[in-house]
Amino acid sequence: MVKAVVGANWGDEGKGKITDTLAEKADIIIRFQGGANAGHTIVNEYGKFALHTLPSGVFYDHTTSIIGNGVALNIPILFNEIKSIVDKGVPMPKILVSDRCQIVMPYHVLLDQYEEERLGGKSFGSTKSGIAPFYSDKYAKIGFQVSELFDDELLEEKVERVCEMKNILFEHMYKKPAMDPKELLATLHEYRDMVAPYVTDVSLFLNKAIKEGKTILLEGQLGTLKDPDHGIYPMVTSSSTLAAYGAIGAGIPPYEIKQIVTVVKAYSSAVGAGAFVSEIFGDEADELRRRGGDGGEYGATTGRPRRMGWFDCVASKYGCRLQGTTDVAFTVLDVLGYLDEIPVCVGYDVDGEVTTEFPVTRLLEKSKPVLKTLPGWKCDIRGIKNYEDLPENCRNYIEFVEEQIGYPITMVSNGPGRHDIIYRESKLSK
Ligand code: GDP
């Protein structure tokens, strides 16, 4: 049984926590896209961790953690991440890395930095981890696959060829020092030694696991609105954030994905530039940011303060639709307990016409939020285990959101811990 855990919005919805919760009953957890540019925050008995490359199941000793072929693999970051969790007392996890995974090269990170410098104020708000140059090279067919690290002749020839090409950009476009192919080759040899113990034919491994009836979780990074096709292009990420891509980025048949858990946060937050219709500012935003998530809404990788907004039904309905949602996990609801009234964005006003369908970026830029205000519940809902025990206004908020987005909310997360979860029956469940 394969399940995907993906985001409906701009990322940071709490996918890490939901994956960690579901991983208790899973055998295998796979990252299928993205790189170390975003992070998941996980709180468990070992402490608080920000994971960038490892899937959220690494803290259990019964799970296998996999880096799928669709991931932008930064080998030193993976290596340090493994070390940092083991150093904090977590047992050495079982980790597999796809032999078809491609490698984030040191020059990808440099190119990202140089390009952001060149763009100045017009930058895309990149985290400068080399992800966009990495995926560009992958599709330009000059990327390095993990399997190639084990073929010296091939590696040497390719390093020469790629350096020659990249050095033109480095020296002439960015006016920066050229790369030395010998140095790069030595770095790749180091990478080979770091990754060697984990390299596997992952799709074959998964094929067997599916036949054996294992429970497999596909863990997405970011959310629908950052998808390069269906998101707020060009303010998007460079790999697909949709559950459908889980089949490709892990190497399994699409029809094996039986459950798609779309994580939706009870309010909005976003990082980076781009239209954000329900955004709020000033003291209102500061308070929500300070109280948000677990210890404030600041990027897990970058520490950047996140942009804040009210819940956006239009964006979330769209986000759930493109994921192919079977279940919504509605997260971080406890944070809203301080508000007397909670505004919710129920429509977009585009040039005087109100719509509930998420528009293309050109029209998104012009959209104004249509807000509806719901009463708050003014208490702390952490620790509640049964849906019926939630305050009435809190249940009303959940049910209002469910009706607006049109997908069943079957999980409500009311705290950062792995057991802070309330399961509920939804009349929308099939
Ligand atoms: P991801 O990238 O989607 O995994 O999201 P983040 O790692 O940014 O998660 C959002 C933050 O919210 C993290 O600090 C989590 O520990 C925290 N979190 C997740 N679920 C809940 C919840 O239900 N309540 C609270 N208060 N915090 C939560």
Side-chain angles (χ1 to χ4, degrees), residues 11-17 39-43 48 219 222 263 265 291-297 300 306 330-335 382 413-416 420:
D12 308 319
E13 299 94 347
K15 295 175 295 295
K17 179 251 159 92
H40 290 306
T41 315
I42 310 239
V43 183
K48 184 171 175 177
E219 180 179 28
L222 298 166
V263 185
K265 190 153 73 176
R291 291 172 177 269
D294 179 39
E297 291 282 357
R306 292 175 181 153
F330 196 51
T331 57
V332 211
L333 187 61
D334 50 300
V335 160
R382 281 206 195 182
S413 172
N414 59 337
D420 297 326

Side-chain angles (χ1 to χ4, degrees), residues 180-223:
D180 175 1
K182 283 199 188 60
E183 245 175 64
L184 185 60
L185 191 65
T187 304
L188 291 181
H189 286 155
E190 282 172 28
Y191 286 7
R192 177 195 59 203
D193 298 341
M194 288 179 191
V195 81
Y198 311 112
V199 179
T200 307
D201 180 342
V202 162
S203 71
L204 186 63
F205 177 87
L206 292 175
N207 181 259
K208 286 189 191 131
I210 291 172
K211 282 186 192 147
E212 287 164 7
K214 296 271 200 284
T215 300
I216 300 170
L217 296 183
L218 299 170
E219 180 179 28
Q221 184 206 37
L222 298 166

Side-chain angles (χ1 to χ4, degrees), residues 148-164:
E148 294 173 345
L149 292 174
F150 301 90
D151 184 334
D152 255 344
E153 210 176 305
L154 178 151
L155 207 57
E156 212 167 312
E157 181 277 320
K158 196 162 166 181
V159 162
E160 282 286 344
R161 181 159 48 91
V162 170
C163 274
E164 200 177 313

